[in-house]
Structure formats: C-alpha cells, structure tokens
C-alpha cells in the first residue's frame, strides 16, 4: 500500500473511529452468559471422569518436587513417599470444597471491578511472547515500550478485561529484575484488572508486595486483586518454582490458575476422555494444595490445552478434539464448583493469515460455548505463542466483542415493537428508512470494524488495505489517542521506590543469556 | 515463493499425501451428530416466534407473483386478493405436516447415498460465483473447465457430500444453455449427490429430465436425487421464476430449498427475533406451497442469512447475530419437523486472509451447533459470494472435516485402555512411545494438513509457503490424481443427445450480455 493510500485509509478510519469513540474507551462489563452451554457429557460420564481422576490421585500419585509442599501434604494427612503424594478422594473433595465458586476481581478503578465465576466470563490478553510483530508487522524481540503499548491497547479495547502482565517479554531489561517493571507497567498503563508474575517464588512475592502498595495490605488480604499462574508439568508433576509462587499468592488470598500444561498425545494418553481425566487429576491436586496453604483462598481450575502433531511434535490449535475437551473440562469445573480458566485464540500460524483466523475463531467458539470464566490468551497469540501480533491483538479483541455479544444471547426486549414494523413495510418493501430500524440498528446487529465488507471495487479504490494493515492503522490511532489513567502520586512514588530498592538488591542477570 | 521452494513443498506434500490417500478419496458418511445442539429459546419463545409468523401469514399476507401459484392457493382454500395470499395457520400446519422429516438422498453411486434430516448433516460447496480465484489465485471469470475442476475437487474431498451445480458461473457458454452443461458437469465428474439449476422453470425441467436419464424416470418419482433452490424476495415475496422452478422439482418429488433471502436490517426488522419471525413466515409459506403442488414431496426449510452494514448496505458474515439466528432457526425447523438448510462458510473478505478465516469458522461453528442438515456454501465462498476461491475451497473442506469430527462428539470406546497407559507412563514420563499411543494417535487427534504448525525456522527453511499456496499446491496435486467415476456409456450418450437437442431448440443468448 502506498503512503497516500495509508493516509486515505487513516482518514477514513479516523472518521469512523470518532463516531465510535465512546465504545472504544469504555470497558464492557464482565460477560454474563445467557446462551445455554455445550455439555456433551451425561452425569454418568462426568462421574466416570471424576472416578478415573481420583484413581490416579490415589494410586498413581502426583509428584510434588518441593520440600515445603511435601511437608505440607504430610501435615494435611496425605500419603507421601519420597516426592510422590497419594491423595485420598475424600481428602481432595474436602479440600476443594472451600474454594470460592465466585468472587469479585478488584481493579484499581472500582468501575472496572469484575464479578467472577459461574456464568461470568472475562477476556485476558496473551502472555509471554518472546517475539512480537510490531506496529509495522516486523517480527523482533520486544522491549518495555512494546509491552507498554500492549498494556495501553488492553486498557482501551472494550472487550479486554485485564492488562495481564508480560504479554510480550521485554528484552531490554535484565531478566532477574524484569518482573518488577512488567508489574509496574500493568499497573501504570491501565486501571483494569491485571496478572502477576510467577517466574519464581521471590518474584511472586515482589508482585504481592507491589499489590499491597497499590491497594493497601489489608485490602488485598480480603480482596482478590491479581492472578498468578502455576503451570504443571504433565504428566502429574508440580515443580518447586511453581509451587513456591503458588504459595506466595495463596498465602495472601490471591487467585492462582492451577494449570496442567497439556500436549495431548505427547504428555497424555491418545484419547480425548483419558486426556481430560489425567488433566483433571493434575488440576485437582494443585487446587487442593491451594487450600492446604490457605483454606478459602481463591483458586481457578486451569490448563494450557493443545494436541500435538504426530509428524512434528508441534502443538496444534483449533482442532476438533480441543473443542471437545474444552466442553468436557467446563463440565468438570462446574461439577466441582470451581471457576475455570482456559486458553482462547491459540494458533500456530506464522503470519496473521487465514490459518490464524480459522484457529482463533474455532477456539473462541469452543471456549464460549464451554462456559469458561477466565479466558486467557484472548488477544495477540500467534505462532504457538512465540510471537504476539499487534494486528491480531486488535482483531482478536474485536472478535471477543462479537463472542461477548453472541454469549449474551437473544435480545427480546423490543420484539413487539420490531414486529410492528412488518405490516408497516409489507411485502416487497424495505426497512432501512423505518423509524424502528433507525432507532435500533446500531445495537441490533454488530458491525465489525476490522472486517471489510465493501465491494472489491470500493476496496481497491481505497487502496486495497489488507486486514493486517487495517488493524495496525487502528492500533497506531489508538496509541495516539491513549490517555493514561494516572496512578495516585503517593502510590506511584511508593511503587518506584520499591522497584529501585529491589533492583539494588537483585543482581542484574542479562536477558541475552536467557535461552529461548 | 521460488520455483525451487514450490518443488520442495510439492515433494513434501506429495509424500504426506500418499500416506493419507485413502482418506482423500473416500467420502465420509453423512454426519450423524452426537454433540448436544445449542438451543437458546425456551418452548414458550419458540411458540412466540411461531405465533408472530402465523400472524404475518394470516394478516400481512405473502405476495405470490405467479398466476399458477395464485390459482393453486385458491383451490387449496387460501384467501387470495390480487397477488396477496393470506394463509390461515391451520392450513399452514396441515400442509407442512406432510413434508417428510427424513429421507435418503440418492447418488448415482449408491455407496454415496446419504440419510438426511433430523440429526444427519451434509456439506455442499458454494454456488453461483461470477468470479473465481483460480489455481494461481488470479481473480477472473470462470469457464466450464474451471467448473469441472471444482466438481472434481468436490468428488475427491472427503467431507464434501455433493458436487452441487454452478459452483462458479461458466462464462464461456451461452447463458441460455448453460444449465445443461452445468448439470452434465455435476453428473459426469462426481458420483456424489448434486444440485439442480432453478434459473428458470424450463431450466429446472431440463434438470429433472436429465435426472430421469441418469437414474430412470420411475426411480426419481419415488427417490430424491437432486436439490433445487427457490429464493424468496424478502420481505414476503415469491416470484414467478422461483415458483415455476419449485413446481418443476416438487411435481417430480425432488427436494426444494425454500430460502428467503435475508439481509437482516435491510429487508427485515432491526431485531434478531423479529428477523427470525419474518424469515420463518416466508419459509413456511413456500414449504406449504410445495405440498399444494404435491403432497408428501420432500422440501427443506431454507434461507440465505446475513446482516447488513448500516454504513455501506453490504452483507456481513460471521457476526454474533447470524450465529444467534442460526441457533433459533434450527429450533424452528425442528419444531415443525422439517429438514433445514443454512449457509456455511460465508464471508466478505476480498482475499483469502485472516478475515476469511474468522468469518468462515464463526459461521461453521454456529451452523454445526445449530444442527443444520443441509450445510450449503461449505467450501470456497469469499467476497460475499462474488468469487469462489480455489485455495479457500480446499481449506474450507478440511475445516468441514474438523467440524464433522467435533459434531460427532466424544469417542469413549477405548477409554479404559487409554487410562491404563497412565500408570504405565507415570509422573514425568511421556506417551509418545507407548503402544496405546502408537495404535490410536491417528484417530484420536485430527492433524490438519492445511495448518502449518512447524517452527518458524522450519517453515522458512521450507520456503515460507503461505496457506493460499499450500492449498493451491494440494488442489493441483488432487487434480493431477483425479480419476473420473465413469458414467455408463448408454447414459452418457443419452445425456449428450438430450443436451444437443435442447441446444438446438434454445436460442444461444450470449453470456457477455448478462448483467453482474
């Protein structure tokens, strides 16, 4: 596209954008689903999965590679042999019973607080990309400025409910101190909810300290304000790093995603229900452990879920079995009365192409119909998580808006009024000028901004702007219009002081030594 | 991509393809759904839509712009005023009660016969594109050879259940005679089911005559062998051309899709449930008319369904309201006990880009979860139907395979065997070498051929082949390997004689005079 064409497109977009500004700077409330969920398992089949998982926990056991966790488990009455923990099903049920089924996620702007659990859902951007495709679609290592841009976009995109944490890995800051700057960036650039780093127990403790500075120590002890993720090593292993981070969060009453990392067929059996049964056992073991650490602490049934290609060993996304497993896992989480996290727009495409579109939409549909509460990786994910695409970030976020509208279900409120237009218009007429249409069109039918539905002639006349460029034009315009939701001066100073002190204490390990 | 890179990719594809040859030349049986459907309406709400539609039929009326239909309706007991027909709800219910809820679609190869209706579904390629994107992704007017290529691909793609009819409009043949060559191409290049032209009553009669030659006149009078489509002009109008074609099919006991052409908000009220109520009234009026023409003739509840952009008037696809309306319409069709046609992978993208992927997958999910029986436009549709993309045709067909696998539901058959692998492997192990994995992987987890899930390094080393080119490489390879399922010599001769005679009788009107 020529520079002139971009200019024209920008002006066109600009005009359109101005018209929709209100929507673009207002966060949608937490999704409250009204569509019936897809529940492919009968109650008997749910119990079959439950029984198979409990058999695993009792007889195969789970490895907790962490001395503190092993001691905790002994005290809690589990059978512990070396690093193996065998959990009786009654103990598991008793422990998970104290996990809250619902709670409120608190944001520093209380208008952005979110009810969570049961039929509420929230969209959270992707995490942890070692590369980005930037505002010019160039693939490179990210910086703190790039991360800030994603936090700003998250703040402005209406269906995105969280600024998350390291959406991209900022390579321009030493890895050992990075968690401090990432957390500060999440807190500073958005007043929505966010996530906390769990890259080590110490890092997790820093996050919690910073949350204390932002919200007040007393407040956070009784209010969930941040989310930590604890990945399991499937099959059936939890390691010291993750368990230490889990404790840092659970001790302070902050929600933890208990997430087995499933590569279906590689670290699970080659069977959809057997994969779910193993994943379920793994999730239950960590969920139960959160309650050993602190009874009543919020915890979220999680997983990273893919199937692997037998040809290459690569993770796949958007496949039918991932949809089926999402439906099933949703049923299991509801069976246990625990909120549920899954992954949204996953995919393995190298560019923002048709593959990326198919993969993301297949996954989003499954996740919505499965009833997920915490829909992580909802924007930007591409190349199996190796890069966050700025263009895809924008389009995914609009897809989340569309998914949100679908999951809200049918609007019957003006049905009678709408029906009265039918005799007015009559056979062979048209509705475009009818008063009911003029009044209701905007809210009756969603008009995606990122999908071009014009004729090819008009599209060509406007410079043949492809979807990647359309999305990047929007991203640049949004960043130009971004207004920072300022932190309180005292809080800001306290956070910066804390970071400065910790950066003096923590030896700077060069990011470039890190192995990706 | 360089020529060398294509060569390498082809060899790679070739090897992979050989391995999967069996799958690629075997048609999947008719989909038999086991996943629960998405049914957002309560029984009360279904009755509300039904009542609103019946009110329209009784009080607003439907325009039948056709003297024969008006006379038929008078005889059937309807109130007729000029071109307006007012249908009493009892008459409507009585008429549609004789539409078969299920039947078998007969193909010339009986192995490709398809049970149809209730929980059975079939995928049919797109129809009527005035342009194609060809085997080199060039956008141009199609020829009979291009159409033949799509019929050949339809024949070979496992999830495609029909060769349809004018997937693309063959511009190299006079428009007045085109239906004969199109029908012959469908019959000749594939022994799956197909569709019949309804571009005029006479053309429809030619199709039926040719079906008589292919299957035998007696056979077709008692066996559905072809599908005709009858588009309505929403709101509430059926025209002479479509009604005449409908009669040609219904008289000879061949199924007709009764399809209001809905541009939500332009020719319907700006309300999801009110749009469904109007569409439902329109579909019912045509369904009822099929039974006036011949009691017991198969007929299919249909529609073309989009919402329009208030900015441009262009049809949109993949929007949340289209999904919701599909869910609702599925419920209405089942309420009346009539099989249901909807449109699958619609979209407005100009190229085979991320927009095309999102739109297609959003629609496919809705259509599958809504329980559609006749999933038309399941491959190739792009640019609001203005072109059929060869690349998208291939990828859509693989998406249909994936949707098919999802809709089939969970495979529990080897659950116990799969679970017994868990203690074998144990914590920290892996399943890749386990006998259960080796035996079951291929069928446990679908491996899409058109999605590239390799690392970016490997993808680049193989020439950075994009999805469009990957799909075109596959299309070329398939066409090279195509084997014609020969027609019986006598039948072939009879068909060619018929075409020759009709081409002498019908004045050749030049295609170039046609207005697109």
């Amino acid at each position: 596209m020529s520079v002139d064409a971009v200019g024209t497109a920008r002006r066109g977009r600009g005009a359109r954008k101005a018209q929709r500004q209100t929507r673009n700077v207002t966060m949608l409330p937490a999704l409250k689903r009204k569509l019936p969920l897809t529940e492919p398992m009968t109650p008997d089949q749910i119990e079959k999965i439950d029984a198979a998982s409990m058999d695993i926990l009792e007889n195969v056991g789970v490895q907790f590679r962490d001395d503190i966790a092993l001691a905790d488990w002994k005290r809690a009455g589990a059978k512990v042999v070396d690093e193996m923990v065998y959990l009786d099903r009654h103990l598991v049920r008793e422990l998970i019973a104290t996990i809250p089924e619902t709670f409120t996620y608190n944001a520093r702007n209380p208008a952005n607080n979110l009810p969570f659990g049961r039929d509420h859902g929230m969209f959270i951007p992707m995490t942890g990309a070692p590369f980005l495709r930037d505002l010019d679609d160039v693939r490179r290592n990210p910086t703190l400025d790039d991360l800030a841009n994603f936090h700003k976009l998250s703040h402005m995109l209406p269906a995105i409910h969280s600024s998350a944490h390291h959406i991209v890995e900022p390579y321009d800051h030493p890895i050992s101190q990075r968690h401090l700057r990432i957390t500060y960036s999440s807190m500073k650039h958005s007043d929505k909810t966010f996530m906390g780093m769990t890259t080590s127990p110490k890092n997790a403790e820093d996050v919690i300290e910073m949350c204390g500075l932002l919200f007040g120590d007393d407040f956070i002890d009784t209010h969930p304000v941040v989310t930590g993720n604890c990945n399991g090593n499937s099959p059936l292993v939890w390691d010291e790093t993750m368990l230490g981070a889990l404790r840092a969060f659970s001790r302070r009453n902050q929600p933890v995603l208990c997430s087995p990392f499933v590569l279906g067929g590689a670290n699970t059996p080659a069977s959809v229900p057997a994969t779910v049964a193993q994943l379920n056992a793994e999730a239950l073991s960590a969920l139960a452990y959160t309650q050993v650490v602190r009874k009543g602490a919020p915890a979220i049934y999680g997983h990273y879920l893919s199937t692997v290609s037998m040809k290459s060993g690569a993770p796949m996304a958007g496949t039918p079995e991932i949809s089926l497993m999402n439906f099933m896992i949703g049923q299991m989480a509801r069976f246990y009365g625990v909120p549920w996290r899954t992954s949204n727009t996953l995919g393995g495409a190298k560019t923002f192409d048709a593959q990326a579109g198919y993969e993301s939409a297949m996954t989003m549909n499954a996740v919505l119909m499965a009833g997920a509460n915490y829909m992580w990786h909802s924007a930007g994910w591409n190349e199996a998580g190796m890069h966050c695409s700025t263009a895809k970030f924008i389009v995914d976020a609009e897809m989340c808006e569309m998914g949100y509208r679908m999951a809200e279900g049918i609007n019957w409120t003006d049905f009678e009024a709408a029906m009265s237009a039918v005799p007015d218009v009559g056979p062979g007429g048209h509705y475009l000028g009818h008063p009911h249409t003029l009044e209701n069109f905007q809210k009756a039918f969603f008009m995606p901004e990122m999908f071009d539905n014009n004729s090819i002639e008009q599209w060509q006349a406007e410079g043949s702007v492809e979807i990647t460029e359309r999305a990047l034009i929007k991203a640049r315009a949004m960043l130009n219009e971004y207004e920072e939701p300022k932190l309180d001066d005292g809080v800001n100073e306290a956070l910066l002081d804390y970071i400065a002190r910790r950066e003096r204490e923590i030896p700077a390990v060069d990011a470039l030594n890190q192995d990706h």
Side-chain angles (χ1 to χ4, degrees), chain A residues 78-90:
Chain A
K79 176 177 153 196
V80 178
V81 181
D82 300 329
E83 289 184 319
M84 292 301 300
V85 176
Y86 300 88
L87 297 172
D88 176 272
R89 65 190 68 199
H90 304 292

Side-chain angles (χ1 to χ4, degrees), chain A residues 23 25 31 51 59 72 99 112 114 147 294 305 345 366 372:
Chain A
R23 207 188 78 194
V25 295
L31 168 63
N59 303 313
D72 286 342
I99 297 172
N112 290 336
L114 297 164
L147 178 61
R294 177 167 172 166
L305 186 61
T345 60

Side-chain angles (χ1 to χ4, degrees), chain A residues 157-270:
Chain A
L157 289 161
I160 298 298
H161 292 109
S162 167
S163 60
H165 47 350
H166 58 145
I167 296 173
V168 291
E169 274 297 317
Y171 273 68
D172 55 346
H173 202 71
I175 189 165
S176 58
Q177 302 171 348
R178 208 179 274 167
H179 62 289
L180 300 163
R181 302 294 181 110
I182 291 166
T183 305
Y184 180 69
S185 181
S186 300
M187 290 173 166
K188 175 186 167 71
H189 295 110
S190 172
D191 60 8
K192 297 183 178 179
T193 63
F194 58 89
M195 297 184 74
M197 301 296 289
T198 50
T199 33
S200 78
K202 278 274 176 224
N203 292 357
E205 282 163 18
D206 279 330
V207 169
I208 301 292
E209 291 305 312
M210 290 174 73
C211 288
L213 296 172
L214 181 61
F215 289 94
D217 274 331
D218 289 350
F219 186 85
I220 72 168
D221 202 57
T222 46
H223 294 80
V225 301
V226 65
T227 310
N229 181 55
C230 178
N231 273 338
N233 302 332
S234 300
L236 299 164
V237 176
W238 297 96
D239 72 21
E240 194 171 4
T241 302
M242 292 278 96
L243 291 167
L246 177 153
R247 278 193 297 272
F249 274 68
S250 294
R251 268 201 304 256
R252 299 295 293 275
N253 213 29
Q254 297 307 313
V256 177
L257 312 174
C258 298
S259 307
F261 194 92
V262 166
L263 302 161
N267 62 19
T268 71

Side-chain angles (χ1 to χ4, degrees), chain A residues 69-112:
Chain A
L70 292 167
D72 286 342
W73 272 126
K74 257 183 216 159
R75 260 197 315 280
K79 176 177 153 196
V80 178
V81 181
D82 300 329
E83 289 184 319
M84 292 301 300
V85 176
Y86 300 88
L87 297 172
D88 176 272
R89 65 190 68 199
H90 304 292
L91 178 60
V92 173
R93 291 198 207 288
E94 187 191 312
L95 286 169
I96 64 170
T98 52
I99 297 172
E101 196 172 356
T102 63
F103 57 84
T104 298
Y105 260 114
N106 293 275
R108 70 169 163 100
N109 177 356
N112 290 336

